[in-house]
Amino acid sequence: MKNTLKNAIAVSLIPQVLLVQWLGAHPQLVETYYSKGLYPWISAFFRALFGWIPFSIGDLLYFSLFLLAFGYLFRNRSHIRKSPGSFLRDVAMIISVAYFTFHLVWGLNYYRLPIAQKLHLSESHTEAELIDLTKTLIHKTNGLQLAITGDTTLAVVVPYSHDEIFEKTIAGYGQLGKAFPFLSYDLQSIKTSLFSTGLSYMGYGGYINPFTQEAQVNGRLPGFRFPVVAGHEIGHQVGYSAEDETNLIGYLVTAINDDPYFQYTAAAYALGYCLSEIKRRDEKEFEELYAQLNLGVQKNYKEMVRFWKQFENPLEPVIKRVYDSFLKANNQKEGIQSYNSVVSLLVNYHKENPL
C-alpha cells in the first residue's frame, strides 16, 4: 500500500471521531437511520453467516489477530526502532480502519435513544421505591427457590446444558418479542466462548463480537448465572449496546420464561443488583434484608462469589480500567459502573409492571 493512502487512512480517524461525536448529540438520527435502519440488516447478515457454525469464529478471529500482531512486532522490531514514525502511522491506520468498522457494524448503537424511552420509564428512583422492590424480589426469589428444591436450605442447581439454556433463552425471546416487538430476535448466533477461562480471569461473563455478531457466553459460569448472561448478550445483538440496558433485557427475557429455573435466576439476578445498591448506601439496611433470604438463596450468591474469587489476578483491575475507559468513550458516562444503573430501570419497570 502506498504511503499516500496509508497517510489518508490514518488521518481519516480525526473526522471519524468528530462525526461519531456529532451523531452522539443526535440520538433520534441514530435510532431512525442506523439502529432501526441499517443495523438490523448488518446484524442479520453476520448472524446468518456465522450463527450455524458450532464454535466461535469471533474468538478465532481475535486469537489470529493477536498472533499476527505479535509476529509482526517480532519480525519487524529492527525496522520499528529505526522508523518509529512510520510504525506509529501504520498503527493509526489500523486503528482508523477498526474504528470505522466497529461503528459501522455495531458500535453506533451506543448513541441510540435509551430503552427507557421505548418503555416509557423514568430514569431515577427513590430510596423507598428501591426498598419496596427489594422486599418484593426477596419474597419472589425465596418462593421460587423453595418451590424448586423443596427445602429452604438447598442451593438451586440449574439442570440444563449450555445448549439447552440457549434454546430456552431463544424461546424466551419469542415470548418477549410479543410483548415488545422491538426486542424480537431471530437468526440465532449464540455460543459458548472458546476462551472461557480467559474471560473468567478478565472478570467477564460474556461478550458480543461486533465484527462477527456472535454472542459469547463464558462457559465456566455457574448455571445459576448462565441464563441471564445469555439473555444479556443476545440483547447486544438485538441492537442495545449500553450495559444497563442489556442487563434489563437479560433480566426480562429470563423472567418471562415459563421455566421455573429461569424465573429463579432472573429474580435472584435483579435482587442481587438491588441489594448491592442498598449495601452501597446503607450497610445496616442491607444486612437486615439479606438475612431475610432463604439459606439456599444465600448459598447461590456465595457460589458466585467463590467462582469469581478463584480467578482474581493482578491484571484483572487493569483490564477493567481499560474497559471502563472504553465505555466512557462510547457514551457511557458511568463507565463500568453503568452495569449497576440497571437498578433504576428495574425499579421503574416494576412500578409499571408489578411482580
Side-chain angles (χ1 to χ4, degrees):
M1 186 182 296
K2 293 183 178 180
N3 285 334
T4 303
L5 181 57
K6 288 184 177 181
N7 292 338
I9 294 173
V11 171
S12 73
L13 180 61
I14 297 172
Q16 286 185 64
V17 171
L18 294 175
L19 176 60
V20 168
Q21 294 303 310
W22 182 83
L23 288 171
H26 298 83
Q28 185 64 63
L29 282 177
V30 177
E31 182 76 20
T32 302
Y33 295 105
Y34 179 77
S35 296
K36 293 169 63 177
L38 179 62
Y39 172 74
W41 292 96
I42 293 173
S43 183
F45 171 77
F46 282 109
R47 295 206 306 268
L49 184 63
F50 297 120
W52 62 275
I53 300 173
F55 54 86
S56 172
I57 297 299
D59 278 352
L60 294 178
L61 173 65
Y62 280 159
F63 184 66
S64 299
L65 290 174
F66 172 79
L67 291 180
L68 287 171
F70 182 81
Y72 174 85
L73 292 174
F74 181 78
R75 289 192 308 272
N76 296 279
R77 57 191 185 278
S78 297
H79 175 71
I80 292 170
R81 283 196 296 268
K82 293 176 182 177
S83 304
S86 176
F87 172 69
L88 291 175
R89 187 273 315 280
D90 289 347
V91 170
M93 180 185 69
I94 292 169
I95 292 173
S96 179
V97 172
Y99 188 86
F100 175 83
T101 307
F102 170 76
H103 285 95
L104 175 65
V105 299
W106 185 72
L108 282 178
N109 285 314
Y110 277 113
Y111 303 94
R112 70 182 303 179
L113 292 174
I115 198 172
Q117 291 189 28
K118 290 266 192 178
L119 297 174
H120 308 292
L121 303 178
S122 170
E123 295 188 58
S124 61
H125 64 273
T126 67
E127 184 74 16
E129 289 170 339
L130 173 58
I131 296 296
D132 285 346
L133 176 60
T134 303
K135 290 179 177 178
T136 301
L137 284 169
I138 288 173
H139 178 74
K140 185 173 182 65
T141 306
N142 281 342
L144 287 165
Q145 181 271 337
L146 180 59
I148 290 170
T149 65
D151 185 335
T152 60
T153 68
L154 296 177
V156 171
V157 178
V158 176
Y160 308 124
S161 68
H162 294 163
D163 286 342
E164 288 172 328
I165 291 174
F166 292 154
E167 290 174 7
K168 289 177 177 290
T169 300
I170 292 162
Y173 267 96
Q175 296 171 275
L176 189 65
K178 293 175 183 177
F180 306 110
F182 67 93
L183 295 177
S184 296
Y185 179 71
D186 55 14
L187 294 173
Q188 69 187 67
S189 183
I190 181 165
K191 305 172 184 182
T192 303
S193 175
L194 296 174
F195 304 116
S196 292
T197 299
L199 284 178
S200 299
Y201 279 109
M202 290 189 289
Y204 297 126
Y207 77 100
I208 184 175
N209 188 307
F211 305 106
T212 64
Q213 285 293 315
E214 293 168 296
Q216 319 274 353
V217 184
N218 182 339
R220 301 198 62 162
L221 281 177
F224 168 65
R225 185 51 49 85
F226 200 95
V228 184
V229 175
H232 171 111
E233 299 307 333
I234 290 177
H236 283 312
Q237 286 179 321
V238 169
Y240 284 89
S241 300
E243 299 299 342
D244 57 335
E245 296 181 339
T246 45
N247 274 350
L248 176 68
I249 294 169
Y251 162 74
L252 291 176
V253 74
T254 311
I256 204 172
N257 203 292
D258 294 331
D259 188 279
Y261 289 95
F262 272 56
Q263 293 172 9
Y264 172 72
T265 60
Y269 180 76
L271 176 59
Y273 272 107
C274 291
L275 286 171
S276 294
E277 181 66 12
I278 291 169
K279 184 177 183 179
R280 188 178 67 83
R281 300 182 184 187
D282 189 332
E283 184 82 25
K284 183 178 179 182
E285 182 79 34
F286 162 78
E287 291 175 356
E288 291 174 356
L289 290 167
Y290 187 81
Q292 297 175 28
L293 291 174
N294 290 349
L295 185 58
V297 179
Q298 294 183 21
K299 287 180 178 178
N300 276 130
Y301 284 134
K302 290 174 183 176
E303 177 188 13
M304 289 304 304
V305 172
R306 288 194 301 272
F307 171 76
W308 289 118
K309 194 168 185 63
Q310 68 180 310
F311 293 106
E312 288 180 352
N313 64 92
L315 283 179
E316 182 186 346
V318 177
I319 294 169
K320 290 290 181 69
R321 282 198 294 272
V322 171
Y323 187 53
D324 180 70
S325 299
F326 169 81
L327 290 175
K328 288 176 178 176
N330 283 281
N331 205 37
Q332 304 299 292
K333 295 178 181 178
E334 296 182 20
I336 207 164
Q337 292 301 316
S338 63
Y339 282 86
N340 298 320
S341 300
V342 71
V343 171
S344 286
L345 294 174
L346 288 167
V347 169
N348 288 294
Y349 177 82
H350 282 302
K351 278 169 61 179
E352 303 297 327
N353 304 274
L355 284 165

